Amino acid sequence: MTLLTQTQAAPRQQGAIERALRSPKGALSGGWLLLVICGAVLAPWLTGYHYDIQNLTDAFRAPDASHLLGTDEFGRDLLTRILYGARTSLTVSAIAIGISVITGMVLGATAGYFGGWLDRAVSVVVDLTWSFPEILVALFLVAIIGPGVTGTMAAIGVAYLAQFTRLTRAQIMAIRNETYIEAARSLGARDSHIVLRHLLPNSLAPVLVSGMLATGDGIILEATLGFFGLGAQPPTPSWGAMMSSGTAQLFRAPWIILFPGLAVASTVIAVNLFGDALVRALDIRSRMREV
């Protein structure tokens, strides 16, 4: 019984990405995300320009054959900076949300399984951070840690920690008294074994999909911090910082703010659409209703 229940979520999780890609929405959004990731990884080989070398004679150059997306106020190729900026935005958001997911699952599983004073302590801290908007939490942490990539990752990770802690806790509390859990206890299984081998695998899919959707929010938050000058510092390119510099040149060179803004919007939309396709592929909504 234990083995059967332990693996009952596997058929639903196996091939979820393949099922998501079969839908037009999943295929289109997944293809765009793959294109953005490949562009970020292969940036040095896709462009002949350097993202940090200025060429003032080419400043404010409109899009043409040599500069497909134009140049900025320092004559730097905008396409090159967008490709390298994708590295910053995707890396910062993915790492920050990944750390937040892992930490949230550990805290949520511990609080949900053991309950008592530990659950109350975790819930108080989580509810405290949950009561403030993510941008306010991020700004507060960046003010303490300091601007830069490290501060941005820490700010995003803490800002979304409550979401994954609460979700994992709810999932664990819903299944911790199931028959197969009681059977594992009666057979002498340790608490760590029960949590790692039985509870977490059966609550993993909703948390991972929520993490992917939060990655889109993380990209927006990273761009927001970069827009305010609190994200990645020059000369490291950032979509938000590029949009910030483009505001002063809105009427003279609108492409400086337009194309980075389109990069942010299209990537976030693709992340959300692909996440929604995964939700449908995993049938998470019906499973949540069952819980």
Side-chain angles (χ1 to χ4, degrees):
M1 178 187 300
T2 303
L3 179 61
L4 177 61
T5 312
Q6 178 183 343
T7 58
Q8 65 183 4
R12 291 179 174 177
Q13 297 182 22
Q14 289 177 350
I17 295 180
E18 290 82 355
R19 293 196 298 273
L21 290 174
R22 292 194 190 106
S23 65
K25 178 170 61 177
L28 183 62
S29 58
W32 179 253
L33 288 178
L34 181 61
L35 183 64
V36 172
I37 293 172
C38 289
V41 173
L42 302 176
W45 296 276
L46 294 178
T47 175
Y49 300 98
H50 296 278
Y51 69 86
D52 56 345
I53 296 181
Q54 301 180 11
N55 184 10
L56 297 179
T57 58
D58 282 339
F60 303 113
R61 188 168 178 174
D64 56 21
S66 58
H67 298 279
L68 297 179
L69 300 184
T71 62
D72 63 7
E73 66 273 25
F74 297 109
R76 297 172 297 191
D77 183 67
L78 198 60
L79 176 60
T80 300
R81 290 184 60 78
I82 288 177
L83 291 176
Y84 278 93
R87 285 185 168 189
T88 303
S89 296
L90 295 180
T91 301
V92 168
S93 302
I95 292 178
I97 295 299
I99 294 174
S100 186
V101 167
I102 294 173
T103 307
M105 291 188 68
V106 171
L107 290 176
T110 303
Y113 180 74
F114 291 103
W117 67 268
L118 182 60
D119 183 27
R120 291 192 295 271
V122 171
S123 297
V124 168
V125 175
V126 166
D127 291 341
L128 182 62
T129 60
W130 187 264
S131 61
F132 295 99
E134 287 84 359
I135 182 61
L136 186 59
V137 175
L139 289 173
F140 177 75
L141 290 173
V142 169
I144 296 176
I145 302 173
V149 172
T150 302
T152 302
M153 285 194 294
I156 295 175
V158 174
Y160 290 96
L161 179 61
Q163 173 179 334
F164 306 117
T165 303
R166 290 168 63 96
L167 179 58
T168 304
R169 175 181 175 272
Q171 292 289 305
I172 295 298
M173 292 184 67
I175 61 177
R176 67 180 180 181
N177 294 321
E178 292 289 338
T179 305
Y180 67 96
I181 300 298
E182 297 295 337
R185 287 198 192 99
S186 65
L187 292 174
R190 293 178 298 178
D191 291 331
S192 59
H193 177 85
I194 293 174
V195 172
L196 295 176
R197 294 294 302 275
H198 301 291
L199 293 178
L200 282 180
N202 285 288
S203 60
L204 187 62
V207 179
L208 291 182
V209 173
S210 179
M212 181 173 184
L213 294 173
T215 302
D217 296 333
I219 292 174
I220 295 178
L221 187 52
E222 188 276 334
T224 303
L225 294 175
F227 187 88
F228 291 137
L230 301 175
Q233 299 299 295
T236 303
S238 167
W239 287 345
M242 284 187 278
M243 294 172 62
S244 179
S245 65
T247 55
Q249 314 297 336
L250 180 60
F251 298 102
R252 182 177 182 181
W255 55 86
I256 297 178
I257 188 175
L258 175 62
F259 291 121
L262 288 176
V264 173
S266 61
T267 303
V268 172
I269 290 174
V271 170
N272 290 333
L273 289 177
F274 192 72
D276 186 67
L278 275 179
V279 169
R280 294 178 180 274
L282 291 168
D283 199 21
I284 289 178
R285 290 194 177 96
S286 64
R287 294 170 61 187
M288 293 294 289
R289 286 195 296 267
E290 292 173 2
V291 171

